Amino acid sequence: MGERVVATEFTGADRTRFRERLHAGFEVFRRMLDEDRFERGRTLMGVELELDLVGPTGRPVMVNQDVLSRIASRDFQTELGQFNLEVNIAPHKLVGTVFSELAEELRTSMAYADRQARAAGARILMIGILPTLDEEHMVVENFSAEDRYYLLNDEIAQVRGEDFLVEIDGVEHLRTTFGSIMPEACNTSVQFHLQVSPETFAAAWNAAQAVAGVQVALGANSPFLFGRQLWAETRIPLFEQATDFRVQELAAQGVRPRVWFGERWISSPVDLFEENLKYFTALLPVSSDEDPEKVLAGGGVPHLPELRLHNGTVYRWNRPVYDVARGKPHLRVENRVLPAGPTVVDVLANAAFFYGCMKELMEDPDPVWRHLPFADAALNLHTAARHGLQAELAWRGDRFPARIPVRDLVLRELLPMARRGLDALGIDPRDRDEFLGVIEGRCRTGRNGSTWQSAAFHRLVAGGLDRAAALERLTVEYADLMLSGAPAHTWPQG
Protein backbone atom coordinates (compact mmCIF):
# COMPACT_ATOMS: atom_id res chain seq x y z
CA MET A 1 0.00 0.00 0.00
CA GLY A 2 2.96 2.32 0.09
CA GLU A 3 4.45 4.18 3.01
CA ARG A 4 1.97 5.50 5.55
CA VAL A 5 1.85 9.21 6.29
CA VAL A 6 0.47 9.92 9.75
CA ALA A 7 -1.00 13.06 11.20
CA THR A 8 1.79 13.48 13.77
CA GLU A 9 4.18 14.31 10.93
CA PHE A 10 2.55 17.76 10.73
CA THR A 11 4.36 20.20 12.98
CA GLY A 12 3.09 23.35 14.58
CA ALA A 13 5.08 25.26 11.97
CA ASP A 14 3.29 23.34 9.20
CA ARG A 15 -0.08 24.34 10.63
CA THR A 16 0.92 27.96 11.14
CA ARG A 17 2.25 28.23 7.59
CA PHE A 18 -0.93 26.67 6.19
CA ARG A 19 -3.18 29.04 8.15
CA GLU A 20 -1.22 32.04 6.91
CA ARG A 21 -1.43 30.89 3.28
CA LEU A 22 -5.09 29.97 3.68
CA HIS A 23 -5.98 33.45 4.91
CA ALA A 24 -3.83 35.06 2.23
CA GLY A 25 -5.61 32.98 -0.40
CA PHE A 26 -8.99 34.01 0.97
CA GLU A 27 -8.08 37.70 0.74
CA VAL A 28 -6.92 37.20 -2.86
CA PHE A 29 -10.17 35.37 -3.61
CA ARG A 30 -12.14 38.30 -2.20
CA ARG A 31 -10.08 40.74 -4.26
CA MET A 32 -10.62 38.72 -7.44
CA LEU A 33 -14.37 39.03 -6.87
CA ASP A 34 -14.11 42.77 -6.30
CA GLU A 35 -12.01 43.18 -9.44
CA ASP A 36 -14.31 41.01 -11.57
CA ARG A 37 -11.62 38.50 -12.51
CA PHE A 38 -13.92 35.47 -12.95
CA GLU A 39 -15.16 33.76 -16.07
CA ARG A 40 -18.81 34.38 -16.83
CA GLY A 41 -21.35 33.69 -19.54
CA ARG A 42 -20.77 29.90 -19.69
CA THR A 43 -23.49 27.59 -18.35
CA LEU A 44 -21.66 24.31 -17.84
CA MET A 45 -22.62 21.14 -16.00
CA GLY A 46 -20.44 18.30 -14.76
CA VAL A 47 -21.11 14.87 -13.26
CA GLU A 48 -19.12 12.70 -10.85
CA LEU A 49 -20.47 9.21 -10.16
CA GLU A 50 -19.27 6.87 -7.42
CA LEU A 51 -19.53 3.12 -7.86
CA ASP A 52 -19.26 -0.10 -5.88
CA LEU A 53 -17.53 -3.34 -6.82
CA VAL A 54 -19.30 -6.60 -5.97
CA GLY A 55 -18.65 -10.27 -6.54
CA PRO A 56 -20.97 -12.97 -7.91
CA THR A 57 -22.98 -13.17 -4.67
CA GLY A 58 -23.43 -9.40 -4.40
CA ARG A 59 -20.91 -8.96 -1.60
CA PRO A 60 -18.19 -6.29 -1.82
CA VAL A 61 -14.80 -7.16 -3.27
CA MET A 62 -11.64 -5.18 -2.47
CA VAL A 63 -10.17 -4.97 -5.95
CA ASN A 64 -10.36 -1.34 -7.08
CA GLN A 65 -6.64 -1.08 -7.85
CA ASP A 66 -6.82 -4.16 -10.09
CA VAL A 67 -9.92 -2.82 -11.85
CA LEU A 68 -8.43 0.66 -12.28
CA SER A 69 -5.27 -0.76 -13.80
CA ARG A 70 -7.41 -2.67 -16.30
CA ILE A 71 -9.60 0.36 -17.10
CA ALA A 72 -6.48 2.53 -17.58
CA SER A 73 -8.41 5.80 -17.92
CA ARG A 74 -7.97 9.08 -16.05
CA ASP A 75 -11.75 9.38 -15.97
CA PHE A 76 -11.81 6.65 -13.31
CA GLN A 77 -10.29 7.17 -9.88
CA THR A 78 -10.17 5.59 -6.44
CA GLU A 79 -12.52 6.46 -3.62
CA LEU A 80 -12.09 5.82 0.09
CA GLY A 81 -12.75 2.06 0.11
CA GLN A 82 -11.11 -0.64 -1.99
CA PHE A 83 -14.63 -1.59 -3.11
CA ASN A 84 -15.24 1.94 -4.50
CA LEU A 85 -14.52 3.70 -7.79
CA GLU A 86 -15.41 7.11 -9.17
CA VAL A 87 -15.99 8.13 -12.78
CA ASN A 88 -15.78 11.79 -13.84
CA ILE A 89 -17.62 13.07 -16.88
CA ALA A 90 -16.11 16.09 -18.63
CA PRO A 91 -18.10 19.35 -18.38
CA HIS A 92 -20.86 19.86 -20.96
CA LYS A 93 -22.84 22.88 -22.05
CA LEU A 94 -26.38 22.81 -20.70
CA VAL A 95 -28.16 22.96 -24.04
CA GLY A 96 -29.76 20.82 -26.72
CA THR A 97 -29.55 17.06 -26.29
CA VAL A 98 -27.01 17.19 -23.48
CA PHE A 99 -28.85 14.68 -21.25
CA SER A 100 -29.18 12.00 -23.92
CA GLU A 101 -25.56 12.61 -24.90
CA LEU A 102 -24.48 12.21 -21.28
CA ALA A 103 -26.60 9.09 -20.96
CA GLU A 104 -24.78 7.54 -23.90
CA GLU A 105 -21.39 8.55 -22.47
CA LEU A 106 -22.23 7.04 -19.09
CA ARG A 107 -23.59 3.83 -20.61
CA THR A 108 -20.43 3.44 -22.66
CA SER A 109 -18.17 4.17 -19.69
CA MET A 110 -20.10 1.87 -17.38
CA ALA A 111 -20.17 -0.98 -19.89
CA TYR A 112 -16.43 -0.70 -20.44
CA ALA A 113 -15.71 -0.50 -16.71
CA ASP A 114 -17.96 -3.48 -16.04
CA ARG A 115 -16.12 -5.57 -18.62
CA GLN A 116 -12.80 -4.76 -16.99
CA ALA A 117 -14.24 -5.42 -13.53
CA ARG A 118 -15.49 -8.84 -14.58
CA ALA A 119 -11.95 -9.73 -15.66
CA ALA A 120 -11.00 -9.05 -12.04
CA GLY A 121 -13.88 -11.16 -10.67
CA ALA A 122 -16.17 -8.21 -9.94
CA ARG A 123 -19.00 -6.21 -11.42
CA ILE A 124 -19.95 -2.53 -11.25
CA LEU A 125 -22.88 -1.35 -9.15
CA MET A 126 -24.57 2.08 -8.90
CA ILE A 127 -26.30 2.21 -5.52
CA GLY A 128 -26.40 4.57 -2.54
CA ILE A 129 -25.29 2.03 0.07
CA LEU A 130 -24.36 -1.54 -0.81
CA PRO A 131 -26.83 -3.71 1.17
CA THR A 132 -24.28 -6.51 1.68
CA LEU A 133 -21.68 -4.42 3.52
CA ASP A 134 -20.98 -5.69 7.03
CA GLU A 135 -19.31 -4.11 10.00
CA GLU A 136 -16.41 -6.51 9.44
CA HIS A 137 -15.62 -4.65 6.22
CA MET A 138 -15.09 -1.38 8.12
CA VAL A 139 -11.37 -1.77 8.82
CA VAL A 140 -8.46 0.45 7.78
CA GLU A 141 -6.99 -2.43 5.79
CA ASN A 142 -9.81 -1.83 3.29
CA PHE A 143 -8.85 1.81 2.64
CA SER A 144 -7.76 2.44 -0.92
CA ALA A 145 -4.00 2.39 -1.33
CA GLU A 146 -3.40 6.14 -1.22
CA ASP A 147 -1.80 7.99 1.67
CA ARG A 148 -4.37 10.80 1.56
CA TYR A 149 -7.11 8.48 2.87
CA TYR A 150 -4.99 7.32 5.80
CA LEU A 151 -3.92 10.88 6.45
CA LEU A 152 -7.48 12.19 6.49
CA ASN A 153 -8.53 9.37 8.80
CA ASP A 154 -5.63 9.99 11.17
CA GLU A 155 -6.36 13.70 11.36
CA ILE A 156 -10.10 13.32 12.03
CA ALA A 157 -9.56 10.48 14.52
CA GLN A 158 -6.90 12.48 16.33
CA VAL A 159 -9.18 15.49 16.70
CA ARG A 160 -12.09 13.34 17.86
CA GLY A 161 -10.04 11.35 20.36
CA GLU A 162 -12.51 8.48 20.67
CA ASP A 163 -14.36 5.97 18.49
CA PHE A 164 -16.91 7.21 15.95
CA LEU A 165 -20.51 6.52 16.94
CA VAL A 166 -23.07 5.62 14.30
CA GLU A 167 -26.61 5.57 15.67
CA ILE A 168 -29.62 5.67 13.34
CA ASP A 169 -33.22 5.06 14.39
CA GLY A 170 -35.37 4.16 11.40
CA VAL A 171 -37.49 1.15 10.44
CA GLU A 172 -34.97 -0.70 12.59
CA HIS A 173 -32.34 0.61 14.98
CA LEU A 174 -28.56 0.66 14.56
CA ARG A 175 -26.01 1.66 17.17
CA THR A 176 -22.36 0.79 16.69
CA THR A 177 -18.89 2.30 16.93
CA PHE A 178 -15.82 2.31 14.71
CA GLY A 179 -12.20 3.26 15.19
CA SER A 180 -11.89 4.94 11.79
CA ILE A 181 -13.86 6.90 9.17
CA MET A 182 -14.18 3.77 7.02
CA PRO A 183 -18.03 3.78 7.25
CA GLU A 184 -17.91 6.88 5.02
CA ALA A 185 -16.91 4.50 2.20
CA CYS A 186 -20.37 2.90 2.43
CA ASN A 187 -21.80 6.03 0.78
CA THR A 188 -21.73 6.15 -3.00
CA SER A 189 -23.20 9.26 -4.55
CA VAL A 190 -23.59 11.30 -7.70
CA GLN A 191 -22.46 14.91 -7.70
CA PHE A 192 -23.78 17.53 -10.09
CA HIS A 193 -21.70 20.62 -10.81
CA LEU A 194 -23.07 23.91 -12.11
CA GLN A 195 -20.67 26.66 -13.21
CA VAL A 196 -22.09 30.10 -12.52
CA SER A 197 -21.02 33.73 -12.62
CA PRO A 198 -20.05 35.44 -9.34
CA GLU A 199 -23.18 37.61 -9.34
CA THR A 200 -25.47 34.58 -9.67
CA PHE A 201 -23.59 32.30 -7.27
CA ALA A 202 -25.60 33.20 -4.16
CA ALA A 203 -28.90 32.53 -5.92
CA ALA A 204 -27.54 29.24 -7.26
CA TRP A 205 -26.41 28.04 -3.83
CA ASN A 206 -29.62 29.14 -2.15
CA ALA A 207 -31.65 27.40 -4.85
CA ALA A 208 -29.69 24.18 -4.43
CA GLN A 209 -30.22 24.30 -0.67
CA ALA A 210 -33.95 24.92 -1.09
CA VAL A 211 -34.47 21.96 -3.42
CA ALA A 212 -32.11 19.51 -1.66
CA GLY A 213 -34.81 17.78 0.38
CA VAL A 214 -36.97 17.25 -2.68
CA GLN A 215 -34.01 15.76 -4.56
CA VAL A 216 -33.38 13.28 -1.77
CA ALA A 217 -37.01 12.20 -1.51
CA LEU A 218 -37.21 11.59 -5.26
CA GLY A 219 -33.83 9.87 -5.60
CA ALA A 220 -33.59 7.87 -2.37
CA ASN A 221 -31.67 4.63 -2.95
CA SER A 222 -30.07 3.63 0.38
CA PRO A 223 -32.49 1.86 2.75
CA PHE A 224 -30.04 -0.70 4.23
CA LEU A 225 -26.89 -0.44 6.31
CA PHE A 226 -25.07 -3.30 8.01
CA GLY A 227 -28.03 -5.63 7.55
CA ARG A 228 -30.65 -3.28 8.98
CA GLN A 229 -33.41 -1.36 7.24
CA LEU A 230 -33.12 2.26 8.38
CA TRP A 231 -34.03 5.41 6.40
CA ALA A 232 -35.10 5.70 2.78
CA GLU A 233 -31.77 7.50 2.17
CA THR A 234 -29.53 6.31 4.99
CA ARG A 235 -26.50 7.97 3.35
CA ILE A 236 -27.52 11.30 4.86
CA PRO A 237 -27.25 10.43 8.58
CA LEU A 238 -24.39 7.99 7.97
CA PHE A 239 -22.19 10.57 6.25
CA GLU A 240 -22.95 13.12 8.96
CA GLN A 241 -21.87 10.71 11.69
CA ALA A 242 -19.06 8.76 10.03
CA THR A 243 -16.70 11.76 9.86
CA ASP A 244 -17.94 13.73 12.86
CA PHE A 245 -14.85 14.88 14.75
CA ARG A 246 -16.99 16.35 17.56
CA VAL A 247 -17.42 14.52 20.82
CA GLN A 248 -20.72 15.09 22.62
CA GLU A 249 -19.42 18.06 24.59
CA LEU A 250 -18.25 19.91 21.49
CA ALA A 251 -21.54 19.31 19.70
CA ALA A 252 -23.42 20.67 22.73
CA GLN A 253 -21.23 23.79 22.63
CA GLY A 254 -22.34 24.53 19.06
CA VAL A 255 -19.19 23.45 17.22
CA ARG A 256 -20.20 22.96 13.60
CA PRO A 257 -20.10 19.46 12.11
CA ARG A 258 -17.73 18.73 9.24
CA VAL A 259 -20.67 17.41 7.18
CA TRP A 260 -22.84 20.48 7.16
CA PHE A 261 -26.00 21.80 5.58
CA GLY A 262 -25.22 25.33 6.75
CA GLU A 263 -27.19 27.73 8.88
CA ARG A 264 -28.31 30.67 6.70
CA TRP A 265 -29.11 31.84 3.21
CA ILE A 266 -26.20 33.72 1.64
CA SER A 267 -25.70 36.88 -0.39
CA SER A 268 -22.19 36.21 -1.76
CA PRO A 269 -19.78 33.29 -2.28
CA VAL A 270 -17.54 35.06 0.22
CA ASP A 271 -20.00 34.07 2.96
CA LEU A 272 -19.27 30.35 2.53
CA PHE A 273 -15.49 30.53 2.23
CA GLU A 274 -15.42 32.90 5.20
CA GLU A 275 -17.44 30.41 7.26
CA ASN A 276 -14.94 27.72 6.31
CA LEU A 277 -12.11 29.80 7.74
CA LYS A 278 -14.05 30.84 10.83
CA TYR A 279 -15.55 27.52 11.91
CA PHE A 280 -13.23 24.75 10.67
CA THR A 281 -9.65 23.89 11.50
CA ALA A 282 -7.39 22.64 8.72
CA LEU A 283 -7.36 18.85 8.53
CA LEU A 284 -4.62 18.57 5.92
CA PRO A 285 -2.18 21.47 6.45
CA VAL A 286 -0.16 20.87 3.27
CA SER A 287 1.21 24.16 1.96
CA SER A 288 2.20 25.01 -1.60
CA ASP A 289 4.84 27.30 -2.99
CA GLU A 290 2.33 29.62 -4.68
CA ASP A 291 2.30 33.25 -3.61
CA PRO A 292 -1.26 34.19 -4.68
CA GLU A 293 -0.76 37.93 -4.14
CA LYS A 294 2.33 37.93 -6.35
CA VAL A 295 0.59 35.86 -9.04
CA LEU A 296 -2.41 38.20 -9.07
CA ALA A 297 -0.25 41.34 -9.10
CA GLY A 298 1.61 39.93 -12.10
CA GLY A 299 -1.60 39.51 -14.07
CA GLY A 300 -1.74 35.74 -13.56
CA VAL A 301 -4.46 33.49 -12.22
CA PRO A 302 -3.74 32.09 -8.74
CA HIS A 303 -4.84 28.50 -8.12
CA LEU A 304 -5.29 29.12 -4.36
CA PRO A 305 -4.35 25.53 -3.41
CA GLU A 306 -4.72 26.04 0.34
CA LEU A 307 -8.18 27.57 -0.03
CA ARG A 308 -9.26 24.72 -2.30
CA LEU A 309 -7.76 22.00 -0.09
CA HIS A 310 -9.44 23.36 3.02
CA ASN A 311 -12.74 23.79 1.18
CA GLY A 312 -12.53 20.15 0.11
CA THR A 313 -12.46 18.97 3.73
CA VAL A 314 -15.66 20.83 4.68
CA TYR A 315 -18.36 18.47 3.46
CA ARG A 316 -21.26 20.77 2.69
CA TRP A 317 -24.21 19.11 0.97
CA ASN A 318 -23.94 21.93 -1.56
CA ARG A 319 -20.30 22.89 -1.75
CA PRO A 320 -18.86 26.10 -3.24
CA VAL A 321 -15.98 25.41 -5.61
CA TYR A 322 -13.24 27.71 -6.84
CA ASP A 323 -11.32 26.27 -9.78
CA VAL A 324 -9.19 27.25 -12.77
CA ALA A 325 -9.83 25.80 -16.23
CA ARG A 326 -8.36 26.87 -19.57
CA GLY A 327 -6.38 29.48 -17.64
CA LYS A 328 -9.53 31.17 -16.30
CA PRO A 329 -10.91 31.16 -12.74
CA HIS A 330 -14.52 30.19 -12.20
CA LEU A 331 -17.08 29.32 -9.53
CA ARG A 332 -19.29 26.24 -9.28
CA VAL A 333 -21.93 24.83 -7.00
CA GLU A 334 -21.32 21.14 -6.31
CA ASN A 335 -24.59 19.38 -5.45
CA ARG A 336 -23.80 16.35 -3.25
CA VAL A 337 -27.08 15.15 -1.77
CA LEU A 338 -28.02 12.32 -4.15
CA PRO A 339 -27.09 8.62 -4.11
CA ALA A 340 -25.69 6.85 -7.13
CA GLY A 341 -28.04 4.98 -9.48
CA PRO A 342 -30.16 3.03 -9.79
CA THR A 343 -29.64 3.32 -13.59
CA VAL A 344 -28.06 5.75 -16.01
CA VAL A 345 -31.55 6.96 -16.96
CA ASP A 346 -32.38 7.60 -13.30
CA VAL A 347 -29.14 9.54 -12.78
CA LEU A 348 -29.81 11.76 -15.80
CA ALA A 349 -33.46 12.21 -14.78
CA ASN A 350 -32.21 13.51 -11.43
CA ALA A 351 -29.85 15.81 -13.33
CA ALA A 352 -32.56 17.18 -15.61
CA PHE A 353 -34.83 17.87 -12.65
CA PHE A 354 -32.04 19.56 -10.69
CA TYR A 355 -30.76 21.81 -13.49
CA GLY A 356 -34.27 22.71 -14.65
CA CYS A 357 -35.34 23.71 -11.15
CA MET A 358 -32.09 25.60 -10.60
CA LYS A 359 -32.58 27.71 -13.71
CA GLU A 360 -36.08 28.80 -12.66
CA LEU A 361 -35.32 29.26 -8.97
CA MET A 362 -32.22 31.36 -9.67
CA GLU A 363 -34.18 33.75 -11.88
CA ASP A 364 -37.35 33.97 -9.79
CA PRO A 365 -37.83 37.62 -8.74
CA ASP A 366 -39.53 36.39 -5.56
CA PRO A 367 -37.43 33.29 -4.73
CA VAL A 368 -38.54 30.58 -2.39
CA TRP A 369 -35.82 31.36 0.18
CA ARG A 370 -37.59 34.62 0.98
CA HIS A 371 -40.48 32.54 2.25
CA LEU A 372 -38.80 29.34 3.49
CA PRO A 373 -36.90 29.60 6.79
CA PHE A 374 -33.43 28.14 6.43
CA ALA A 375 -34.09 25.82 9.36
CA ASP A 376 -37.03 24.36 7.43
CA ALA A 377 -34.81 23.72 4.41
CA ALA A 378 -32.40 21.83 6.65
CA LEU A 379 -35.27 19.88 8.23
CA ASN A 380 -36.56 19.04 4.74
CA LEU A 381 -33.28 17.26 3.98
CA HIS A 382 -33.58 14.94 6.97
CA THR A 383 -37.32 14.43 6.63
CA ALA A 384 -36.84 13.42 3.01
CA ALA A 385 -33.93 11.13 3.87
CA ARG A 386 -36.03 9.37 6.51
CA HIS A 387 -39.29 9.02 4.58
CA GLY A 388 -38.37 9.26 0.89
CA LEU A 389 -41.37 9.55 -1.41
CA GLN A 390 -43.69 9.50 1.63
CA ALA A 391 -42.13 12.66 3.09
CA GLU A 392 -44.04 15.85 3.75
CA LEU A 393 -41.91 18.95 3.26
CA ALA A 394 -42.09 22.70 3.84
CA TRP A 395 -42.07 25.01 0.83
CA ARG A 396 -43.52 28.47 0.29
CA GLY A 397 -45.76 29.16 3.26
CA ASP A 398 -47.74 31.80 1.36
CA ARG A 399 -48.82 29.32 -1.34
CA PHE A 400 -48.74 25.92 0.38
CA PRO A 401 -49.71 24.54 3.78
CA ALA A 402 -47.06 24.15 6.47
CA ARG A 403 -46.20 20.70 5.10
CA ILE A 404 -47.07 19.23 1.71
CA PRO A 405 -46.55 15.66 0.46
CA VAL A 406 -43.43 15.76 -1.66
CA ARG A 407 -45.10 13.94 -4.56
CA ASP A 408 -47.82 16.61 -4.68
CA LEU A 409 -45.25 19.38 -4.45
CA VAL A 410 -43.29 17.95 -7.37
CA LEU A 411 -46.31 17.29 -9.58
CA ARG A 412 -48.02 20.62 -8.89
CA GLU A 413 -45.08 23.00 -8.60
CA LEU A 414 -41.61 21.68 -9.29
CA LEU A 415 -42.06 19.57 -12.41
CA PRO A 416 -43.65 22.48 -14.30
CA MET A 417 -40.85 24.66 -12.94
CA ALA A 418 -38.20 22.19 -14.15
CA ARG A 419 -39.82 22.07 -17.60
CA ARG A 420 -39.75 25.85 -17.88
CA GLY A 421 -36.15 25.91 -16.71
CA LEU A 422 -35.04 23.33 -19.27
CA ASP A 423 -36.87 25.23 -22.01
CA ALA A 424 -35.09 28.42 -20.97
CA LEU A 425 -31.76 26.59 -21.15
CA GLY A 426 -32.54 25.44 -24.68
CA ILE A 427 -32.82 21.73 -23.85
CA ASP A 428 -34.29 19.64 -26.64
CA PRO A 429 -38.00 18.94 -25.89
CA ARG A 430 -37.51 15.20 -26.37
CA ASP A 431 -34.75 15.15 -23.77
CA ARG A 432 -36.87 17.28 -21.46
CA ASP A 433 -39.88 14.99 -21.70
CA GLU A 434 -37.94 11.73 -21.54
CA PHE A 435 -35.97 12.49 -18.40
CA LEU A 436 -38.55 14.54 -16.52
CA GLY A 437 -41.00 11.76 -17.37
CA VAL A 438 -38.97 9.50 -15.09
CA ILE A 439 -39.43 11.96 -12.22
CA GLU A 440 -43.17 12.08 -12.92
CA GLY A 441 -43.25 8.27 -13.02
CA ARG A 442 -41.72 8.04 -9.55
CA CYS A 443 -44.33 10.43 -8.19
CA ARG A 444 -47.26 8.66 -9.87
CA THR A 445 -46.19 5.17 -8.77
CA GLY A 446 -44.59 6.02 -5.41
CA ARG A 447 -41.56 3.94 -6.42
CA ASN A 448 -37.84 4.61 -6.64
CA GLY A 449 -34.66 2.68 -5.91
CA SER A 450 -35.22 2.71 -2.17
CA THR A 451 -38.78 1.39 -2.33
CA TRP A 452 -37.71 -1.35 -4.75
CA GLN A 453 -34.92 -2.52 -2.45
CA SER A 454 -37.21 -2.56 0.57
CA ALA A 455 -39.96 -4.47 -1.26
CA ALA A 456 -37.46 -6.96 -2.70
CA PHE A 457 -35.98 -7.65 0.74
CA HIS A 458 -39.34 -8.37 2.35
CA ARG A 459 -40.40 -10.50 -0.61
CA LEU A 460 -37.25 -12.60 -0.35
CA VAL A 461 -37.52 -12.99 3.43
CA ALA A 462 -41.18 -13.99 3.08
CA GLY A 463 -40.01 -16.56 0.53
CA GLY A 464 -37.84 -18.25 3.14
CA LEU A 465 -34.39 -16.62 2.87
CA ASP A 466 -32.61 -15.45 5.97
CA ARG A 467 -31.64 -11.80 6.24
CA ALA A 468 -28.10 -12.10 4.88
CA ALA A 469 -29.14 -14.30 1.96
CA ALA A 470 -32.03 -11.96 1.12
CA LEU A 471 -29.70 -8.95 0.99
CA GLU A 472 -27.30 -10.83 -1.24
CA ARG A 473 -30.07 -11.93 -3.56
CA LEU A 474 -31.64 -8.47 -3.83
CA THR A 475 -28.22 -7.02 -4.66
CA VAL A 476 -27.74 -9.49 -7.51
CA GLU A 477 -31.27 -8.80 -8.81
CA TYR A 478 -30.62 -5.07 -8.53
CA ALA A 479 -27.37 -5.39 -10.50
CA ASP A 480 -29.16 -7.25 -13.31
CA LEU A 481 -31.95 -4.67 -13.45
CA MET A 482 -29.43 -1.83 -13.38
CA LEU A 483 -27.85 -3.23 -16.53
CA SER A 484 -31.26 -3.48 -18.21
CA GLY A 485 -31.33 0.32 -18.22
CA ALA A 486 -35.04 0.65 -17.40
CA PRO A 487 -35.73 3.31 -14.72
CA ALA A 488 -36.28 1.90 -11.24
CA HIS A 489 -39.94 2.90 -10.93
CA THR A 490 -40.69 0.42 -13.75
CA TRP A 491 -38.79 -2.51 -12.23
CA PRO A 492 -40.89 -5.61 -11.46
CA GLN A 493 -41.95 -5.89 -7.86
CA GLY A 494 -42.28 -9.68 -7.81
Side-chain angles (χ1 to χ4, degrees), residues 20 30 194 212 285 385 430:
E20 291 173 350
R30 190 201 297 266
L194 177 64
R430 289 169 296 183

Side-chain angles (χ1 to χ4, degrees), residues 178-251:
F178 299 94
S180 75
I181 64 169
M182 188 64 190
E184 181 187 342
C186 298
N187 296 321
T188 39
S189 64
V190 61
Q191 290 115 45
F192 299 137
H193 291 249
L194 177 64
Q195 181 176 326
V196 293
S197 301
E199 63 270 16
T200 61
F201 180 91
W205 189 83
N206 289 342
Q209 293 285 95
V211 81
V214 179
Q215 287 182 272
V216 168
L218 291 169
N221 196 28
S222 314
F224 294 100
L225 176 64
F226 303 142
R228 294 172 178 82
Q229 184 177 356
L230 298 170
W231 290 15
E233 186 48 36
T234 306
R235 278 178 51 260
I236 300 298
L238 175 61
F239 192 31
E240 291 175 338
Q241 297 179 37
T243 57
D244 196 348
F245 68 95
R246 305 171 306 162
V247 294
Q248 186 174 0
E249 292 79 8
L250 290 178

